[in-house]
Amino acid sequence: MRIAAVIVAGGRGTRAGSPGDLPKQYRQLAGRAVIARTVEAFLRHPAITMVQVVIAADDRPFYEAALQGEGERLRPPVAGGNTRQASVFAGLAALKDDAPDLILIHDAARPLIGPDIIGRVIDGLGRHDSVIAAMPVSDTLKRAAADGVISDTVSRDGLWRAQTPQGFHYAAIFAAHTDAQRDSTLDFTDDAAIAEWAGLRVAVVEGSARNIKITTTEDFILAERLLSDGSTVETRNGTGFDVHRFRDGDHVWLCGVQIPHTQALDGHSDADVGLHALTDALLGAIADGDIGQHFPPSDPKWKGAASHLFLRDAARRVRERGGRIQNVDVTMLCEAPRVGPHRDAMRASIADILAIDIGRVGVKATTTEGLGFTGRREGIAAMASATVVLPVGNPPQSTVE
Ligand code: MG
């Protein structure tokens, strides 16, 4: 059984707001020309023997730019006519001397066609003269006059929206098209209509809501979303860790809160170990170095600096990529001071610095049961994690300090 596909790309769609003169079927959709995606969908299908594309004669350079290096089952394109019907006829006629048994006719502007629909149409041709992919109408239908006033509600029972591919026995549809060609008053908008006109029985099989016809700019946006499985963002996670030793003093800074204590933390800046760990977690989530790279301890500019500057800068870097901080979490490891009484003040401080809701900020503490340097009260350690949502294909990291 030889099964060919005719891909109709002759239309001069300008509704999609094409930049310059590039027709929509040659425009890029998520990095590939629309027509290349459509043709590939058929070439990838194991049941398809060959693919014949019909183009507008003037579009040859666009076609060659979009489809260079495709497989040997792809025949050279043929030029279409002034109507869709004339273009399909040209594609069918081009196959006359190497006639397939079955033919699937498909719009180039439906690049999201999947192997499941192609398979259902082919299977259906085992039982019917002609088979089209279609979707049942689910909206309530109204008939309205020119003034917009509804005259009646139309029953949607038995109503389907026709998609493509539309499948036929080649000899039967070529004969029907040839007959239709002789009467210039006829202009059918799909091939099923020609089959019906010729007296062939046409059946529907289930299409797909994904199998959209790209006509407007909104359709391009929707198609790109569907191609990325509905997700235009990616979720990133980063972790950070920091330690500062104790020195003489009477207070420590933890997560932006000043806490009276019998010692202070030693450091070039204010030694806020919690904010340092969190800054590194955010920088890690966006793969943008670490706190020491952006704020070198060797730089006198940062001597005694309040660490909220570092954290605020990391948040700026996230925003610069179009990202947003989903949540952050900090754990401090120390025997003293007690963190619990200050937890909510710390959360509020971090939420304020990052400009996020306090419900997205966790602060916790634990002792280390007297073990290790924190257990010996030599210093405080902190670890942090941050989750960041970035647009897919986020812009490269900035070098702005
Ligand atoms: Mg530090």
Side-chain angles (χ1 to χ4, degrees):
M1 181 75 77
R2 298 175 74 246
I3 307 174
V6 166
I7 311 286
V8 194
R12 272 281 170 202
T14 50
R15 275 187 292 170
S18 309
D21 282 321
L22 193 60
K24 67 186 179 202
Q25 57 269 40
Y26 300 103
R27 282 178 58 186
Q28 295 286 303
L29 174 65
R32 296 277 288 141
V34 168
I35 191 171
R37 292 184 174 279
T38 309
V39 168
E40 273 168 17
F42 284 88
L43 288 176
R44 267 200 306 268
H45 198 283
I48 300 294
T49 315
M50 56 187 162
V51 173
Q52 174 67 63
V53 183
V54 185
I55 64 173
D58 293 347
D59 290 349
R60 186 97 196 197
F62 302 141
Y63 177 87
E64 280 165 7
L67 276 156
Q68 42 187 280
E70 295 299 325
E72 58 189 35
R73 289 182 298 151
L74 179 59
R75 297 165 56 95
V78 294
N82 290 330
T83 63
R84 185 183 187 284
Q85 184 186 330
S87 290
V88 172
F89 180 69
L92 294 172
L95 296 170
K96 192 174 56 173
D97 295 332
D98 188 20
D101 301 295
L102 303 178
I103 186 91
L104 269 52
I105 301 168
H106 186 72
D107 297 325
R110 295 186 191 267
L112 272 56
I113 177 70
D116 47 346
I117 305 178
I118 295 173
R120 281 198 287 275
V121 171
I122 292 171
D123 287 349
L125 286 171
R127 306 185 296 274
H128 304 281
D129 289 347
S130 316
V131 174
I132 69 169
M135 292 295 286
V137 172
S138 56
D139 294 327
T140 298
L141 297 177
K142 304 291 185 186
R143 181 176 287 115
D147 61 1
V149 177
I150 292 168
S151 57
D152 62 326
T153 297
V154 181
S155 169
R156 68 188 172 203
D157 282 356
L159 290 186
W160 295 72
R161 291 184 292 124
Q163 297 184 338
T164 67
Q166 302 192 342
F168 309 91
H169 292 266
Y170 174 80
I173 194 67
F174 186 44
H177 261 276
T178 303
D179 288 346
Q181 220 32 37
R182 294 199 186 102
D183 184 345
S184 60
T185 64
L186 298 174
D187 181 21
F188 295 104
T189 55
D190 78 348
D191 304 289
I194 293 178
E196 295 157 35
W197 170 80
L200 300 173
R201 284 163 53 88
V202 185
V204 292
V205 294
E206 193 189 348
S208 166
R210 272 179 69 92
N211 185 24
I212 60 169
K213 186 171 186 177
I214 296 185
T215 305
T216 64
T217 299
E218 286 69 31
D219 297 333
F220 269 92
I221 294 166
L222 174 60
E224 295 207 338
R225 289 214 177 115
L226 290 168
L227 279 168
S228 62
D229 288 328
S231 125
T232 54
V233 296
E234 60 185 28
T235 305
R236 301 282 199 90
N237 186 254
T239 64
F241 181 74
D242 194 33
V243 173
H244 282 265
R245 68 171 73 239
F246 281 125
R247 62 168 170 81
D248 290 342
D250 60 9
H251 69 273
V252 294
W253 283 95
L254 288 177
C255 296
V257 176
Q258 189 179 28
I259 300 172
H261 190 49
T262 53
Q263 291 172 294
L265 288 173
D266 193 24
H268 187 69
S269 64
D270 65 8
D272 189 326
V273 65
L275 293 191
H276 292 183
L278 184 51
T279 301
D280 264 357
L282 279 174
L283 293 173
I286 57 172
D288 190 1
D290 62 21
I291 190 171
Q293 178 191 334
H294 299 303
F295 302 99
S298 54
D299 189 337
K301 187 163 56 169
W302 308 118
K303 178 146 181 61
S307 296
H308 65 77
L309 295 175
F310 308 151
L311 186 59
R312 192 162 282 146
D313 185 70
R316 175 187 66 79
R317 288 169 187 271
V318 172
R319 281 195 305 274
E320 225 167 50
R321 288 162 172 74
R324 112 186 114 74
I325 300 165
Q326 190 140 292
N327 78 298
V328 297
D329 189 21
V330 184
T331 301
M332 273 157 299
L333 293 80
C334 57
E335 303 294 324
R338 288 188 62 216
V339 165
H342 305 284
R343 181 204 310 272
D344 286 341
M346 293 178 179
R347 294 174 63 221
S349 155
I350 291 170
D352 182 53
I353 296 165
L354 296 178
I356 63 175
D357 191 89
I358 193 169
R360 298 178 183 276
V361 180
V363 169
K364 315 183 298 297
T366 181
T367 71
T368 53
E369 301 279 348
L371 300 172
F373 68 87
T374 54
R376 293 189 298 271
R377 299 172 186 252
E378 294 168 5
I380 298 182
M383 42 197 244
S385 73
T387 304
V388 162
V389 178
L390 288 184
V392 169
N394 65 91
Q397 70 179 56
S398 133
T399 50
V400 180
E401 293 286 74

